[in-house]
Amino acid sequence: MRNERFNVDSVIEALKSCLPIEQEKVALHEPYFGGNEWKYVKECIDTGWVSSVGKYVDQFEQKLAEYTGVKRAVAVVNGTAALHVALKIAGVIKDDEVIVPTLTFIATTNAITYCGGIPHFADCEERTLGLDPYKLDVYLQEIAEVKTDGCFNKKTGRRIKAVLPMHTFGHPVDLDPLVEVCQKFKLELIEDAAESLGSFYKGRHTGNWGKLSTLSFNGNKTITTGGGGAILTNDEELGKMAKHITTTAKLPHKWDFYHDQVGFNYRLPNINAALGCAQLEQLPEFLAQKRILAERYIERFSSMHGMKIFRETNFSKSNYWLNVLLLESDYKQYRDTILEATNIAGIMTRPAWILMHKLSMFTSCPHMDLAVAENIEARLINIPSSVKLSKHRM
């Protein structure tokens, strides 16, 4: 099909054919509460244990660790706080550079600046939408110098301390070669798994490759605690440290308030953790329903010219947190037309985030060639992906 034959109405009809018939307006991603949410939250209210202490925080952390396969999970107020603490514990300090994909949500980049660090933007690859480990390897061979005390940017003189990949829209980054790059250049690996709860790389849950990793439970995530996040690690000592400094670094005592370092009041309230426990109980069903919706989209759009639904790689199993409609390069000029028409039709769609290196506060940050990310940004559209959307189709 030639470009001039493009018809946005066909895109709208294709989307509608995959969505509930009776629903006039369809959000991008809504939470679903169909389990013990009210029971557990009501218990918090009835007993008065609604704030920073209570049984549901411990239960939520334990259940998260069991599900993801890590040794320790620490629940915090949101995913950004989790990133901040993970970077701090990993040793990121003022003027350290942290390699981060330019195609990410701003929280990933903001957290680096909270530590006084400097984002160093990397390109992504189209097969995962995440950081490209092979391109990064070639780039670091050009600009990095490995010394006994770490990796340094030959152009800026600053230390490059860590790599912070993000599993974009739930699709795992190609982690094994990225681990090799980090080892080769003496870099800490910290996974931003905010969007990938329920996603697996080579049979193992995301978050198990980095020194630390983070999750988000915002209202639009696969499961939600209202707000909330978590730090994951397979290092027990780092887990203890994360718990300590996110609870104001207070030493346990019956009455004294003694804090042994500067900490953060990042504790997840018990009432939010109660919601999380109920949501985790339903996670397998949530993932099954999201996969049904993704497969429906994939089948329906397989006959559409100029576009496709983005699919998981052969080495990963995605949670399909947000489904992606990816236009072919020759059709990228229609992205905004589709966005406008679908939203007018009551189907919420959105583009990818504006690339981080284009934002005014980050334009002076170092970066590699970002051609792939720039190309993807111009062609990507997120489409409705709520759990409940798979349940009501005839």
Side-chain angles (χ1 to χ4, degrees), residues 45 70 80 92 102 127 275 342 355 381:
I45 295 171
V70 301
T80 308
V92 175
T102 189
R127 64 178 183 146
L275 193 63
T342 49
L355 298 180
I381 298 172

Side-chain angles (χ1 to χ4, degrees), residues 40-102:
Y40 296 165
V41 169
K42 186 176 185 299
E43 180 184 335
C44 294
I45 295 171
D46 290 344
T47 60
W49 294 103
V50 298
S51 192
S52 57
V53 179
K55 70 176 186 179
Y56 285 112
V57 176
D58 292 339
Q59 288 183 17
F60 187 50
E61 291 178 339
Q62 181 180 352
K63 289 175 183 292
L64 277 175
E66 290 173 355
Y67 180 79
T68 58
V70 301
K71 291 181 179 178
R72 190 71 186 269
V74 177
V76 294
V77 292
N78 54 52
T80 308
L83 283 165
H84 179 199
V85 172
L87 288 162
K88 182 177 178 63
I89 291 175
V92 175
I93 59 175
K94 188 176 187 303
D95 292 333
D96 278 347
E97 294 181 9
V98 177
I99 294 170
V100 62
T102 189

